[in-house]
């Protein structure tokens, strides 16, 4: 695991990359990674159902995704801190390429489960490196006190916009293909049943992943890292994992961020599993339900993008990021409660209320995210930034897996929604009592000698803890 890059060793290309350029590239990477995932959002549950899978099996597929991501989060976060952000992101894109191909073509349960597992591994690999690259680059150019919240908010907005546009396109494609008489049957016959209209978005997503990998390789310069052997990499990753776990155990603010991410995982698991079925039941067919859910999900992601853009404003009005988080999560709790209250009826009024609730869920999560991460990044330094983000993502994925399985097993109705609302409310209540300014939390990273390198002087790198009200 490497420490903060030596300024003298930073490449001219990296040193000359100003904050605005780094922000644009971070936004582009965020968009390209999440756009193909968005294309599979609207059709995922319905595609698996069309392949003959029951709701419990579909929940199990998503659990494979979440559990794989959870198991790989800390090792891959440490890998990014050891090897660099760019190679790990590129591998994530290649794994998603295989995942979308399997999901789009797989008619058997094992193929779908393998594809979801690969996607979970890609999610783990990608959860920290891009954001860590952006923060590293900005702080290398403008110093440790550089503004991070604006760039983080724009990256989060780009993610939401990519999911919104991807979901709209992915949900609309099967419906458009269904307008042509016999086209769906022709696709299935020509491919032996492997390709159906609902699988086209996933296959297009595989093509986008090629563009993502090429962009990452060509546009994300990094400072050179010491040469590492396989033994050093394997030895450095456990150190990164241990340091990341110590952060969550010793620092109350980081612990709150992790628990809040867990609550968000419960909310997202309920929304992503239960909403497509409600849309299909409302419309009567899977293709029409996919189109309606695509529009709804697009609106939700746009609400998330709006919330992310408003995050700095919410922090200013609330008096800091620490106060902005519970205010934002309150909207999510309200949205989930509205979805639960309308679960048993499909009247026009209930549908309108449910749509409003769906938007509030994403608006609140979108506004909370950048403020949580602003607090997180000011608590850790470059040597463990990707690992800390991986711990955060691990918290979300573990709870999302359990919440998804629970929601799939519970009887349809208000209960799954209200349980998710309770989890988010518990996460919001963690922030009621503010954290007083504290001494820096020691982030001790065992230094491993690198052959031919100068002796290390940063064996212990303390975490820089500014005023959390900033």
């Amino acid at each position: 695991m490497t420490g903060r890059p030596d300024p003298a060793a930073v490449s001219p290309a990296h040193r000359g990359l100003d904050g605005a350029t780094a922000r644009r590239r971070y936004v582009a990477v965020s968009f390209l990674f999440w756009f193909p995932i968005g294309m599979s959002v609207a059709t995922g549950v319905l595609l698996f159902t069309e392949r003959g899978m029951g709701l419990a099996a579909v929940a199990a597929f998503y659990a494979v995704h979440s559990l794989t991501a959870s198991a790989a989060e800390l090792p891959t976060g440490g890998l990014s801190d050891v090897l660099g952000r760019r190679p790990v992101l590129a591998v994530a894109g290649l794994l998603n390429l295989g995942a979308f191909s399997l999901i789009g073509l797989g008619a058997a349960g094992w193929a779908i489960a393998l594809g979801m597992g690969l996607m979970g591994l890609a999610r783990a690999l990608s959860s920290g490196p891009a954001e860590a690259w952006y923060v590293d680059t900005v702080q290398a150019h403008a110093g440790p006190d550089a503004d991070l919240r604006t760039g983080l908010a724009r990256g989060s907005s780009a993610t939401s916009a990519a999911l919104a546009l991807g979901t709209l396109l992915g949900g609309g494609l099967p419906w458009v293909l269904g307008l042509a008489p016999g086209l769906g049957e022709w696709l299935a016959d020509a491919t032996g049943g492997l390709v159906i209209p609902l699988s086209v978005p996933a296959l297009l997503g595989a093509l986008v992943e090629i563009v993502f990998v090429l962009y990452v390789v060509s546009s994300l310069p990094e400072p050179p890292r010491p040469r590492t052997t396989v033994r050093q990499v394997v030895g450095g990753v456990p150190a990164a994992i241990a340091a990341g776990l110590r952060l969550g155990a010793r620092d109350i603010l980081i612990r709150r961020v992790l628990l809040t991410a867990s609550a968000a995982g419960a909310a997202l698991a309920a929304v992503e599993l239960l909403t497509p079925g409600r849309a299909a039941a409302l419309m009567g067919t899977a293709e029409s339900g996919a189109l309606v859910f695509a529009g709804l999900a697009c609106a939700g992601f746009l609400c998330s993008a709006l919330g992310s853009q408003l995050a700095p404003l919410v922090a200013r009005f609330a008096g800091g990021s620490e106060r902005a988080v519970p205010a934002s999560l309150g909207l999510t709790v309200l949205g989930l409660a509205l979805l639960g209250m309308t679960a048993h009826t499909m009247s026009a009024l209930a549908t309108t209320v449910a749509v409003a609730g769906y938007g509030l869920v994403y608006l609140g999560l979108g506004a909370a995210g950048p403020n949580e991460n602003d607090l997180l990044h000011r608590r850790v330094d470059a040597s463990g930034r990707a690992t800390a983000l991986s711990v955060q993502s691990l918290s979300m994925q573990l709870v999302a897996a359990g919440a998804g399985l629970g929601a799939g097993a519970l009887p349809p109705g208000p209960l799954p929604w209200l349980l998710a609302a309770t989890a988010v409310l518990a996460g919001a209540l963690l922030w009621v009592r503010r954290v007083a300014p504290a001494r820096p939390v020691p982030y001790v990273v065992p230094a491993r000698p690198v052959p031919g390198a100068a002796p290390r002087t940063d064996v212990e790198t303390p975490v820089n803890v500014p005023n959390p009200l900033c």
Side-chain angles (χ1 to χ4, degrees):
M1 181 172 180
T2 62
R4 186 183 299 277
D6 182 1
V10 175
S11 66
H14 186 80
R15 186 185 302 153
L17 206 60
D18 59 86
T21 302
R23 186 164 55 243
R24 286 194 300 270
R25 295 188 183 185
Y26 171 55
V27 166
V29 166
S30 300
F31 185 92
L32 286 173
F33 182 81
W34 289 100
F35 181 68
I37 294 176
M39 284 198 288
S40 68
V41 164
T43 57
V45 174
L46 300 175
L47 171 62
F48 302 152
T49 303
E50 193 73 9
R51 297 288 197 192
M53 310 297 169
L55 187 60
V58 174
F61 293 147
Y62 282 95
V64 169
H65 172 276
S66 296
L67 293 174
T68 303
S70 299
E73 277 292 356
L74 291 180
T76 54
L79 193 65
S80 170
D81 287 330
V82 172
L83 292 180
R85 323 303 190 194
R86 180 169 56 184
V88 173
L89 275 175
V91 172
L94 293 174
L95 288 173
N96 264 344
L97 171 61
F100 287 123
S101 300
L102 283 169
I103 290 171
L105 299 175
W110 68 266
I112 297 173
L114 178 59
M116 296 297 284
L118 289 177
M119 189 180 296
L121 183 55
R123 171 70 180 271
L125 284 166
S126 68
S127 63
E131 189 170 318
W133 175 88
Y134 167 71
V135 176
D136 291 347
T137 304
V138 171
Q139 290 188 341
H141 183 268
D145 295 326
D147 172 57
L148 301 177
R149 199 155 44 204
T150 300
L152 294 175
R154 292 188 182 180
S156 182
S157 295
T159 295
S160 299
L163 289 168
L165 293 175
T167 300
L168 193 61
L169 177 61
L173 273 175
W175 180 77
V176 171
L177 293 174
L179 295 178
L183 180 58
E185 292 80 359
W186 177 82
L187 279 174
D189 292 340
T191 59
L194 294 179
V195 179
I196 60 176
L198 286 170
S199 65
V200 171
L203 298 177
L204 287 180
L207 298 179
V208 177
E209 290 297 339
I210 299 175
V211 179
F212 169 79
V213 172
L214 294 176
Y215 186 84
V216 165
V217 171
S218 63
S219 301
L220 301 187
E222 288 191 278
R225 296 175 183 268
R227 289 182 176 273
T228 56
T229 65
V230 174
R231 182 178 179 182
Q232 289 167 341
V233 170
V234 173
V237 169
I241 294 174
L245 292 175
R246 283 196 299 269
L247 277 178
R250 297 179 183 181
D251 189 286
I252 185 172
L253 191 65
I254 294 178
R255 190 157 59 247
R256 287 182 180 182
V257 170
L258 300 181
L259 292 174
T260 304
S262 300
L268 291 172
V271 169
E272 292 173 0
L273 181 67
L274 301 176
T275 309
R278 288 179 68 166
L282 180 66
M283 298 305 297
T285 65
E287 287 78 12
S288 298
L291 180 63
V292 169
F293 177 64
L296 182 62
C298 177
F301 292 135
L302 290 177
C303 287
S304 180
L306 176 61
S308 297
Q309 286 294 99
L310 293 176
L313 182 63
V314 174
R316 284 196 293 270
F317 274 107
S321 295
E322 197 174 341
R323 286 180 173 173
V325 173
S328 303
L329 293 178
L331 296 176
T332 300
V333 174
L334 177 59
L336 290 168
L338 293 176
L339 284 164
M341 292 165 53
T342 57
H344 273 322
T345 177
M346 295 184 185
S347 66
L349 177 60
T351 300
T352 302
V353 171
V355 170
Y358 188 92
L360 287 174
V361 170
Y362 282 92
L363 182 67
L365 292 177
N371 286 302
E372 292 172 34
N373 282 19
D374 176 63
L375 294 168
L376 180 66
H377 286 305
R378 297 185 186 280
R379 219 70 170 183
V380 298
D381 71 352
S383 65
R385 183 162 288 127
T387 302
L389 289 169
S390 289
V391 177
Q392 182 187 28
S393 184
L394 170 65
S395 302
M396 175 181 289
Q397 294 292 337
L398 278 176
V399 175
L405 289 172
L410 289 172
L415 185 58
W417 300 103
L418 297 181
L419 289 177
T422 302
V424 178
L425 178 61
L429 292 177
L430 294 172
W431 298 88
V432 171
R433 185 176 179 181
R434 306 190 70 186
V435 177
R439 297 176 60 186
V441 179
Y443 188 89
V444 181
V445 180
R448 290 185 172 270
V450 179
R456 289 281 301 277
T457 60
D458 57 342
V459 174
E460 294 192 4
T461 306
V463 179
N464 180 26
V465 184
N467 188 335
L469 304 184
C470 295

